[in-house]
Amino acid sequence: MKKNKGMIIGFLMPAVIMFLAVFLYPLIRTVLMSFFKIESVTDTADMWQFVGISNYEKLLSTDIFRTAMWNIGRIWLFGGLIVMLLSLLLGVILTSGIKGKKVFRAIIYLPNIVSAVALATMWLQYVYSPKFGLLKSVLEFVGLDKLAKTQWTAPDNVFWALLIAYCFGMVGYHMLIWMSGIERISPDFYEAATIDGANKPQQFRYMTLPLLKGVFKTNITMWSVSTAAFFVWSQLFSSVTANKATIVPVQYMYMNIFGAGNAVTERNAGYGASIGIVLCLCVVLVFTVCNLLIKDDDLEF
């Protein structure tokens, strides 16, 4: 190690510089910005106006932000239940020795390589369309004519329509994470359990699930990060910029930083930075709670 100090420093330096420039500096700058009133995100520090915690106080007392947090909370909870259960089910099926595993895996993962804009447009124009949408045609085919006439993008239904479409695009990603964990489990365990008389549900309950605790934490963390950054779907499903049925914190932050929208009359990058800090704290809180509640240190493969 002493002889190769120069080589070690040479290899580490690019990564360290990249980490400081891309991650640490923006994080520190965002935290500082949240305590100032800043008209433009590109303003120099001498143009910042210190306001203390006023941005946070305003944030917590603003109805539209509370609505945005309520929406993102429902997306995280209900969407998380749908995505985690469905992706786990598909992961178990595809690792059970089914034929054509690679084909099915590629098909299920396909929505993740399609642009979110294209995917959301597809749902709006070709699935939820009240005239020729796929959902309308399927419901009419099975005889549910009354349900087929439902306006899925109407204000009362648009949130759930948005949630279902978003979950459709996320299942494949989390399925691969589950599969990576399941494939780490030795087949010898299942063979021994079968010899001992355990059926498939019992093997899943007492072997597979306990050995997937670490994978579960990873999935929850990744789901929380992607949910906190939820933006494109909300923007495309909104009939107006500040649609209360679909607005989320990142959309509200965008409106405050760039002055866009029908609910924001002035730009304040510092106020937008405080929204980002709140979302970051929410993700850290979820990660911390998962680590406290789910212990996998005592598991052995």
Side-chain angles (χ1 to χ4, degrees), residues 107-153:
I107 293 173
I108 296 171
Y109 187 75
L110 185 62
N112 290 271
I113 63 175
V114 178
S115 166
V117 175
L119 203 59
T121 303
M122 179 199 75
W123 277 88
L124 286 169
Q125 300 296 329
Y126 302 108
V127 178
Y128 291 136
S129 173
K131 293 183 178 180
F132 52 83
L134 177 63
L135 187 57
K136 178 179 182 293
S137 301
V138 171
L139 292 174
E140 287 179 344
F141 179 77
V142 298
L144 300 174
D145 295 334
K146 186 177 180 180
L147 193 59
K149 296 179 181 178
T150 302
Q151 297 289 331
W152 300 107
T153 54

